[in-house]
Amino acid sequence: MRPFDYTRAETVREAVAALVANPEAQLLAGGTNLVDLMKYEVAHPAAIIDINHLPLRQIEELADGSLRIGALVSNAAVAYDSRVKERYPLLASAILAGASPQLRNAATTGGNLLQRTRCYYFYDPSSPCNKREPGSGCSAIGGVNRIHAILGASDKCIAVHPSDMCVALAALAATVEVEGPEGRRYIPFAEFHRLPGDHPERDNTLAPGEMVLAVRLEGNHFVPHHSYLKLRDRLSFAFALVSVAAAMDIADGEIVDLRVALGGVAHMPWRDSLAEAEFAGAPPTEETFRKVAVRLLAGAKGQGGNDFKIPLAHRAIVRALSQAAAGTPQDQTVKAFQ
């Protein structure tokens, strides 16, 4: 372990000031990702700012009816909160599909948004990786790339975002509340993460010195028709090869509002709101869902080892939407066979 400075922040203002004072500092919450990165010699923070004493562990009802989830609320606490289960079951289902009970008890909401890719080469300091060391190259291109991106990749990086929680938050169009040296601002979830482009070392759109305070969820009409489907190599404690967060508002036999977010396929949770809007008024049938899959996967490109992800994603989209339309989400299907 390399030496580093340690600071315990007692207020949000202290944490922001510490980040501004030392650009090489990193925040410590649950530590389920950062500690691993430090052990693997991938991350070398000059300073650790412990934010576990900040008042960010509450799930609050806001005056406008939305729900505010503090950055330090554990994944388990979110998944089992009665308000989340009743009003945002898609989010609860996605969280419970990820990691293990032990990790969900430690991992936090803010940390989930900020976790780094699980690319083999990113975790191997002996391999070139533009995300870890800009300009060094991408070993996954032409290498072992079974788990890598089929959408939104660049010639600099084909890594994928590993979160399940974030896929559901993308489908629910959450808002991320952040604080920085310039004050507080609110970032639409679709604008929080970024594609690799020429700067794959940057995972999100946070400005220097900013930190996540909370995630906000507005009301929705997706409770009767939702499903989170995660396809992976084993049933538990594995990252998604492809995941689908599907949600619909259906009235009079027609789709009023359609949401589909994909995980395991891009550098960020993948959602195309323009494509979704094209299916307003369409019947919630398998034929429609096949068209949705074709539309969402337009431009998908494999890298050799992950070519199978394209047809897999197509089938997963159709299945998840069919489950949502029928009101039989994947988590209920699994329970029925247990």
Side-chain angles (χ1 to χ4, degrees):
M1 185 67 72
R2 302 191 185 196
F4 55 86
D5 293 333
Y6 173 85
T7 301
R8 176 184 290 179
E10 299 296 337
T11 66
V12 171
R13 180 174 295 181
E14 284 184 15
V16 171
L19 285 173
V20 172
N22 190 342
E24 300 301 317
Q26 292 197 36
L27 301 178
L28 175 69
T32 57
N33 190 201
L34 177 59
V35 173
D36 278 350
L37 293 173
M38 294 172 69
K39 288 180 177 179
Y40 278 94
E41 289 285 318
V42 175
H44 312 112
I48 294 293
I49 304 166
D50 188 340
I51 62 171
N52 281 288
H53 287 72
L54 301 187
L56 302 175
R57 296 187 182 277
Q58 295 78 35
I59 299 179
E60 307 168 87
E61 297 267 4
L62 300 180
D64 61 1
S66 59
L67 202 64
R68 182 181 185 269
I69 303 172
L72 291 177
V73 180
S74 72
N75 288 178
V78 175
Y80 292 115
D81 185 88
S82 60
R83 293 160 294 184
V84 174
K85 290 194 295 183
E86 292 171 6
R87 291 152 54 181
Y88 312 97
L90 178 62
L91 175 59
S93 178
I95 293 173
L96 293 175
S100 66
Q102 294 91 338
L103 284 173
R104 291 195 294 268
N105 284 332
T108 63
T109 298
N112 203 289
L113 270 62
L114 299 172
Q115 64 180 302
R116 309 299 306 275
T117 183
R118 263 52 175 195
C119 172
Y120 320 119
Y121 301 103
F122 175 73
Y123 268 82
D124 178 9
S126 67
S127 299
C129 171
N130 287 322
K131 178 174 283 294
R132 191 182 63 249
E133 186 179 348
S136 62
C138 177
S139 298
I141 298 176
V144 179
N145 49 44
R146 182 173 181 272
I147 66 172
H148 290 75
I150 57 174
L151 290 164
S154 74
D155 60 0
K156 300 293 191 299
C157 180
I158 59 172
V160 299
H161 194 274
S163 173
D164 289 292
M165 181 181 191
C166 288
V167 182
L169 290 175
L172 293 169
T175 300
V176 184
E177 180 182 339
V178 306
E179 182 85 10
E182 303 300 320
R184 190 161 301 188
R185 68 185 180 113
Y186 301 88
I187 307 173
F189 203 82
E191 299 174 13
F192 182 79
H193 295 101
R194 63 187 303 281
L195 295 177
D198 292 329
H199 294 282
E201 72 278 8
R202 294 168 54 194
D203 294 332
N204 55 65
T205 57
L206 287 176
E210 285 188 327
M211 62 178 290
V212 175
L213 296 185
V215 169
R216 296 188 177 210
L217 290 167
E218 296 182 351
N220 67 87
H221 300 283
F222 303 132
V223 173
H225 301 289
H226 73 275
S227 186
Y228 186 75
L229 175 64
K230 180 177 182 179
L231 304 180
R232 45 191 160 171
D233 287 323
R234 56 183 184 273
L235 186 58
S236 64
F237 200 36
F239 296 103
L241 293 170
V242 173
S243 64
V244 184
M248 276 180 283
D249 180 13
I250 300 174
D252 299 324
E254 295 183 350
I255 296 172
V256 177
D257 190 2
L258 173 69
R259 306 281 181 87
V260 185
L262 306 180
V265 300
H267 196 257
M268 60 185 287
W270 187 267
R271 184 178 164 217
D272 187 339
S273 57
L274 293 178
E276 294 168 352
E278 294 175 10
F279 295 92
T285 62
E286 183 172 325
E287 180 181 359
T288 295
F289 303 151
R290 292 185 184 280
K291 293 178 181 178
V292 172
V294 170
R295 180 67 175 82
L296 291 177
L297 294 171
K301 178 184 177 183
Q303 297 288 337
N306 67 348
D307 291 351
F308 73 96
K309 277 194 176 187
I310 299 174
L312 182 66
H314 188 285
R315 292 193 295 270
I317 292 169
V318 174
R319 178 177 173 183
L321 286 171
S322 298
Q323 291 174 332
T328 55
Q330 174 68 16
D331 58 349
Q332 292 184 13
T333 302
V334 171
K335 289 176 184 177
F337 285 93
Q338 291 178 341

